[in-house]
Amino acid sequence: MEISLQVARENKLSRITVINLDVGKMQHLNESIMQHGFDAAKQGTTAGEASLKLNWLPVKLKCNECHHIFTSADMKLSCPYCGSKDTNIVQGTELNIKSIEGE
Amino acid sequence: MEIKVLKNVLDKNKDQAEENRNLLDEHNVKMLNFISSPGAGKTSLLEQTIPELQKTMKVAVIEGDAYTSRDAERLQKFGIPIVQINTEGACHLDSNSIRNAFRQLDLQSLDVILVENVGNLICPTGFDLGEGYCIAVLSTTEGDDKPSKYPMLFRKAKAVVLNKMDLLSYTSFEKDNFVKDIYELNPQVQLFETSATQGTGTGEWNTWLNRMLSV
């Protein structure tokens, strides 16, 4: 919220209407709790009427052995191509403000 | 009008965590972040760990607690510096509260800081404190499905301590499933089995910890 309000000030927005947030699925966040927290935080700010839009990003990993990139829906983090457990998370841990909309 | 922001919500915490890390490096202090659910046995494990570390190192504890100072009181018997952080209901410690806690410690005189985070498996995992690494504590009474339900913590942890092994036979905890899930998430993890209140299994854990902290 602090970041959004600052960006709004820098861009001379009088009110924020939407905050677009990228959320990685690996964060295991609960949408209704997020909305609830957002509603509490926006009170009395230029984002008082704003809505929070969550864009859920699936968990993607890159295998360090065979270099395939794959999506994991069930939190299995080993490579489905070669079975290696040596993988890096390339997407799914985000909690980023993508953009704000306002006027 | 849409304005691109592309900023991580936790950037501010990360920046302060890096500052904390640099400060610890300057003073040659190692910091560990203990994360578990409420009641898994973090404090009991620390009660078994602190006297062992004290033999060769200067130890301090930062206690994160939502409201009370009961855990800090339990550790007072060791005569070490303890900083209590009351998060006033917040479910995790952040890097800024740790920075404030440092101001109450003489970093120059310390070797190790053990941070006992607020009991919670989700939020503390997202907030880097500037620690060297984090230790996950899980108890057998919580169920063997916790690694797959809270993958971020178990992926990140340097070691997992499975506590309350003395109660294993009274629970439906399937250790084989647990072990399989843990290594799936984190093939390099160190796994320990303890009963902290009985003082069993803690020898191996203490040996490993001593070795990690001595390098």
Side-chain angles (χ1 to χ4, degrees):
Chain A
M1 187 57 75
E2 207 178 303
I3 297 170
S4 301
L5 294 175
Q6 194 188 335
V7 171
R9 272 196 303 277
E10 284 164 8
N11 289 277
K12 301 192 167 42
L13 294 184
S14 58
R15 63 187 203 104
I16 301 174
T17 51
V18 181
I19 295 177
N20 290 301
L21 194 66
D22 280 340
V23 193
K25 281 216 164 148
M26 204 148 179
Q27 289 283 2
H28 276 230
L29 292 171
N30 178 303
E31 179 146 6
S32 66
I33 293 175
M34 296 274 295
Q35 293 289 355
H36 191 76
F38 178 75
D39 288 340
K42 72 183 184 184
Q43 299 301 326
T45 72
T46 47
E49 302 292 314
S51 59
L52 178 67
K53 279 195 191 154
L54 300 184
N55 174 34
W56 291 95
L57 301 173
V59 179
K60 276 192 187 163
L61 297 112
K62 183 174 186 204
C63 177
N64 291 326
E65 298 276 339
C66 71
H67 308 296
H68 272 101
I69 291 178
F70 58 96
T71 304
S72 164
D74 52 2
M75 292 301 156
K76 292 247 183 302
L77 304 182
S78 51
C79 177
Y81 297 96
C82 71
S84 170
K85 289 182 176 176
D86 184 11
T87 57
N88 284 338
I89 299 172
V90 292
Q91 180 184 286
T93 60
E94 293 77 2
L95 194 57
N96 296 332
I97 301 175
K98 190 178 161 202
S99 65
I100 62 170
E101 296 170 35
E103 48 198 37
Chain B
M1 179 160 69
E2 182 171 0
I3 299 158
K4 292 256 175 281
V5 183
L6 300 174
K7 261 197 184 161
N8 192 302
V9 173
L10 301 178
D11 270 356
K12 219 171 152 183
N13 185 71
K14 260 186 211 155
D15 294 346
Q16 180 63 55
E18 279 313 315
E19 272 181 41
N20 292 354
R21 199 165 274 125
N22 292 338
L23 193 64
L24 291 168
D25 281 349
E26 269 169 42
H27 293 90
N28 214 5
V29 180
K30 298 204 166 69
M31 185 165 84
L32 304 182
N33 183 5
F34 285 75
I35 300 179
S36 83
S37 330
K42 286 186 299 298
T43 313
S44 300
L45 183 67
L46 291 183
E47 286 177 309
Q48 296 290 335
T49 306
I50 292 166
E52 284 303 312
L53 293 181
Q54 268 183 309
K55 289 177 186 167
T56 53
M57 299 170 213
K58 291 272 181 240
V59 187
V61 170
I62 298 176
E63 266 294 338
D65 216 315
Y67 293 107
T68 75
S69 58
R70 286 191 191 175
D71 289 349
E73 285 159 21
R74 276 172 65 185
L75 299 177
Q76 263 165 9
K77 60 190 168 211
F78 299 113
I80 56 172
I82 301 174
V83 181
Q84 169 78 40
I85 301 176
N86 273 109
T87 59
E88 281 154 17
C91 55
H92 59 267
L93 292 174
D94 61 23
S95 53
N96 195 42
S97 56
I98 293 294
R99 177 69 188 91
N100 290 333
F102 285 170
R103 294 196 173 95
Q104 296 175 53
L105 293 169
D106 176 17
L107 293 181
Q108 201 64 52
S109 70
L110 292 175
D111 299 308
V112 185
I113 300 174
L114 306 173
V115 180
E116 183 174 346
N117 218 311
V118 182
N120 180 339
L121 292 176
I122 299 183
C123 312
T125 310
F127 287 80
D128 185 359
L129 307 179
E131 72 268 17
Y133 36 92
C134 74
I135 310 290
V137 183
L138 187 83
S139 58
T140 55
T141 52
E142 293 169 72
D144 54 55
D145 58 352
K146 293 299 167 290
S148 50
K149 277 182 146 170
Y150 305 97
M152 293 282 276
L153 171 61
F154 293 97
R155 171 114 181 153
K156 180 181 172 186
K158 188 86 169 174
V160 174
V161 179
L162 180 60
N163 194 29
K164 305 192 189 175
M165 283 303 287
D166 51 327
L167 301 180
L168 184 66
S169 59
Y170 303 102
T171 70
S172 57
F173 192 96
E174 295 282 349
K175 209 177 84 186
D176 291 349
N177 291 347
F178 169 78
V179 171
K180 195 176 120 263
D181 286 350
I182 284 277
Y183 286 123
E184 170 77 31
L185 286 166
N186 188 346
Q188 270 90 45
V189 74
Q190 292 287 322
L191 196 54
F192 299 96
E193 298 175 11
T194 62
S195 302
T197 53
Q198 315 289 319
T200 50
T202 48
E204 214 179 314
W205 149 255
N206 280 324
T207 306
W208 175 82
L209 189 62
N210 247 301
R211 207 177 55 232
M212 292 301 289
L213 293 173
S214 309
V215 288

